[in-house]
Amino acid sequence: MYKALYRRSRPNRFSEIVGQEHISLTLKNEVINGTFSHAYIFTGSRGIGKTTTAKILAKALNCAALQNGEPCCECNICKGIDAGNIPDVQEIDAASNTGVDNIRAIKEDAQFAPTVGKYRVYIIDEAHMLSIGAFNALLKIMEEPPNNVVFILATTQINKIPATILSRCQRFDFLRPSVLTIEQLLLKVASKEDIAINSDAVRLIAVLSDGGMRDALSLLDVCSNVSNGKVIDESLVESIAAIPLDKECLNLLEAAINSDYELCIKIINECYVKAVDISSLCESLLRHCRNILLLKTCKKEINLLEISQKSLKKTQEIAFKISLNQIMLILEEIKLAYEKLNKSSMPKIELELCLLNLCKKLHVLPVNECNSNQASEDESFRIKNWQQVIECLTETNSILAGALNDSSAYIKNDTVLIDSENSIFLELIRNDENAKKDLKVAMVKILGKRYRIGPYKK
Ligand SMILES: [Zn+2]
């Protein structure tokens, strides 16, 4: 029988758990020192190792040949727990066993000593799905826990767990692994399993899995099954995940920025014809918007970007071209469309409407506003009393002052950047030292500070 890749590469020991070292080390020490709790709650998003960790803990608590807090994975008990046929360790899916009767059955079981191991371990998955009656019954057991019983509750929604239960559990918050952590895991698994894959494809799978290790490994599994031994590349991942290409998303965003509605419709239709799900097109667009936003706001945090090396340049170009307000507007509109289209029977029309709206809004956004936004992002600001500077300059250099009529200026760091197309101004500012001096003196008088000067380049 085919065993899925994520099952084959599931960690067997604490030391094999990736990205949750703060939890696995603590648990291992608790096992070594015998200071473990009778009730744990593991919380965090789906597919990041909560149940896997619970099983390792169950093995460590029962293993016949514990090795420095780690289960040996060789003894009959370890093997039995892995195979799921040791009655002392039970995994209960609360999503399908929500009732009070299920918990009562546990209560009865728990009265008896374990059959083969040292502890009865109850792993309750999706614990937030338990009914109120079931929680109350569970609380009764937790209030006076039998000595050899350990509960491990796993949940994706900790806010739905009653406070009375929470207060009796040792809580561990599982972290969502970073794209980089998932990339490293994928590379490790690929090398172990002899799967040929290039780095762009690894990156894309890591990005698409949105922090889920299981999802990432499942996608790698499918890719390796259809690749026929060829190197898995980005386009194979894209076709399997039926997601739009980075190129298409970036072109779509660019078309919107250029208010080219016809091109937007054309690109959406191309994706649609390729059976790309409109909802995942929206998700990809949001991801690209976020990348652009990051490029505009946190210039040093380049490793937070969720993008392949190949698409970085184009993303940078777009980020350079648009203002912060524009990208925030786009992000907001696509987010709204995404929420709407998931409820709509005609998602494609929702997205087309969204793009039409965007094209209209971006088109009427005044150029000046864009420029001033651009200026403010560059930590520069427009000089409000520039007109006064020009008036002051009239007294000492009327030619230059005249050339500066209708100009505007910005301050960036210690430089005043003057926005003017006037050829006399450009000539004077390049070649006439006296003109420069006169302007600087006028600036000191009005602005109260000595600045350098330079032409403002759009
Ligand atoms: Zn063992």
Side-chain angles (χ1 to χ4, degrees):
M1 199 183 81
Y2 179 73
K3 196 174 175 193
L5 181 62
Y6 85 85
R7 287 186 191 280
R8 293 205 298 276
S9 32
R10 187 178 265 174
N12 280 312
R13 295 176 177 83
F14 289 123
S15 59
E16 293 168 13
I17 297 172
V18 178
Q20 314 291 348
E21 287 75 12
H22 61 299
I23 294 171
S24 52
L25 284 176
T26 309
L27 288 174
K28 198 166 89 170
N29 283 330
E30 288 186 1
V31 171
I32 293 173
N33 301 324
T35 53
F36 53 89
S37 309
H38 281 281
Y40 288 93
I41 186 147
F42 292 173
T43 173
S45 54
R46 58 185 288 274
I48 59 174
K50 298 185 297 293
T51 322
T52 303
T53 306
K55 278 201 174 149
I56 296 174
L57 178 59
K59 281 193 287 184
L61 291 172
N62 284 300
C63 176
L66 200 66
Q67 297 161 347
N68 193 25
E70 292 277 14
C72 73
C73 299
E74 297 293 330
C75 70
N76 285 340
I77 297 177
C78 281
K79 281 185 177 162
I81 292 174
D82 276 337
N85 54 23
I86 296 272
D88 297 339
V89 175
Q90 283 187 37
E91 198 179 332
I92 298 141
D93 179 14
S96 45
N97 301 284
T98 58
V100 62
D101 292 342
N102 304 103
I103 303 296
R104 285 207 181 117
I106 294 179
K107 195 181 175 189
E108 278 165 30
D109 265 11
Q111 308 298 326
F112 301 101
T115 52
V116 286
K118 287 171 264 183
Y119 295 93
R120 284 184 181 274
V121 182
Y122 297 99
I123 301 168
I124 307 179
D125 215 2
E126 302 293 342
H128 57 274
M129 305 281 276
L130 291 175
S131 66
I132 295 172
F135 271 128
N136 285 336
L138 186 62
L139 188 62
K140 285 247 165 61
I141 318 176
M142 282 185 178
E143 277 167 348
E144 288 174 49
N147 270 338
N148 41 25
V149 169
V150 174
F151 286 100
I152 307 172
L153 279 61
T155 182
T156 47
Q157 296 180 37
I158 191 87
N159 56 326
K160 290 191 179 161
I161 306 287
T164 45
I165 296 276
L166 280 182
S167 67
R168 289 190 157 73
C169 294
Q170 187 179 355
R171 172 174 168 170
F172 284 109
D173 290 66
F174 282 64
L175 301 177
R176 185 187 286 267
S178 67
V179 170
L180 195 67
T181 305
I182 298 185
E183 275 185 88
Q184 284 162 351
L185 173 78
L186 288 169
L187 286 171
K188 206 168 116 187
V189 171
S191 120
K192 198 175 140 210
E193 299 269 333
D194 269 335
I195 299 171
I197 180 166
N198 73 23
S199 59
D200 271 344
V202 167
R203 176 94 184 162
L204 183 60
I205 294 179
V207 167
L208 288 174
S209 61
D210 193 27
M213 299 269 195
R214 188 167 58 209
D215 290 350
L217 290 170
S218 298
L219 188 50
L220 176 65
D221 203 7
V222 181
C223 290
S224 95
N225 285 339
V226 299
S227 68
N228 282 329
K230 286 195 199 115
V231 178
I232 300 169
D233 60 10
E234 231 180 340
S235 65
L236 179 71
V237 180
E238 275 156 352
S239 66
I240 284 177
I243 54 139
L245 298 156
D246 278 357
K247 197 179 89 192
E248 284 159 341
C249 285
L250 290 169
N251 286 345
L252 189 53
L253 288 175
E254 199 170 40
I257 295 160
N258 295 334
S259 298
D260 188 343
Y261 183 57
E262 270 187 61
L263 184 57
C264 290
I265 294 296
K266 188 169 163 263
I267 299 171
I268 294 175
N269 199 54
E270 279 167 6
C271 293
Y272 190 73
V273 169
K274 281 190 224 160
V276 166
D277 175 44
I278 294 295
S279 172
S280 60
L281 173 57
C282 259
E283 282 171 17
S284 296
L285 285 171
L286 288 170
R287 183 162 55 80
H288 286 287
C289 288
R290 174 184 171 272
N291 287 332
I292 294 169
L293 197 63
L294 282 177
L295 280 171
K296 292 202 77 68
T297 51
C298 348
K299 281 162 190 151
K300 284 174 197 153
E301 295 293 343
I302 197 112
N303 50 12
L304 290 179
L305 295 178
E306 295 184 353
I307 195 156
S308 67
Q309 207 53 41
K310 205 169 72 185
S311 307
L312 181 61
K313 191 164 168 265
K314 176 90 173 173
T315 311
Q316 282 170 326
E317 280 170 17
I318 296 179
F320 184 74
K321 216 186 317 185
I322 73 172
S323 72
L324 192 58
N325 274 9
Q326 284 176 312
I327 188 61
M328 281 165 67
L329 174 71
I330 298 174
L331 193 62
E332 204 53 46
E333 292 281 331
I334 297 179
K335 198 169 90 197
L336 279 178
Y338 178 64
E339 282 159 10
K340 267 195 221 160
L341 65 82
N342 281 326
K343 294 176 205 147
S344 165
S345 54
M346 286 182 275
K348 185 166 166 249
I349 294 179
E350 292 289 348
L351 185 60
E352 286 173 349
L353 262 177
C354 160
L355 264 302
L356 174 61
N357 254 328
L358 267 179
C359 286
K360 277 168 72 182
K361 285 186 182 171
L362 290 166
H363 186 63
V364 295
L365 208 64
V367 176
N368 281 345
E369 191 184 323
C370 295
N371 282 344
S372 67
N373 287 335
Q374 194 71 52
S376 68
E377 286 153 37
D378 291 336
E379 291 167 352
S380 58
F381 56 91
R382 200 171 181 142
I383 302 174
K384 286 199 187 100
N385 40 3
W386 181 241
Q387 209 49 48
Q388 277 174 264
V389 176
I390 298 173
E391 276 164 29
C392 178
L393 181 65
T394 315
E395 293 163 18
T396 52
N397 194 325
S398 56
I399 297 174
L400 181 57
L404 281 174
N405 262 337
D406 298 327
S407 69
S408 49
Y410 307 88
I411 295 175
K412 180 169 181 171
N413 302 325
D414 60 348
T415 307
V416 166
L417 300 170
I418 300 159
D419 185 7
S420 169
E421 300 286 310
N422 187 296
S423 56
I424 297 172
F425 157 71
L426 292 171
E427 176 64 26
L428 286 172
I429 216 72
R430 271 186 206 123
N431 303 319
D432 189 332
E433 284 304 318
N434 282 333
K436 273 203 250 185
K437 203 180 107 199
D438 292 340
L439 180 54
K440 282 181 182 172
V441 169
M443 288 194 309
V444 171
K445 277 187 191 163
I446 303 298
L447 306 175
K449 199 181 149 187
R450 182 166 286 277
Y451 287 99
R452 295 165 199 245
I453 45 177
Y456 175 76
K457 291 194 186 84
K458 284 195 179 70

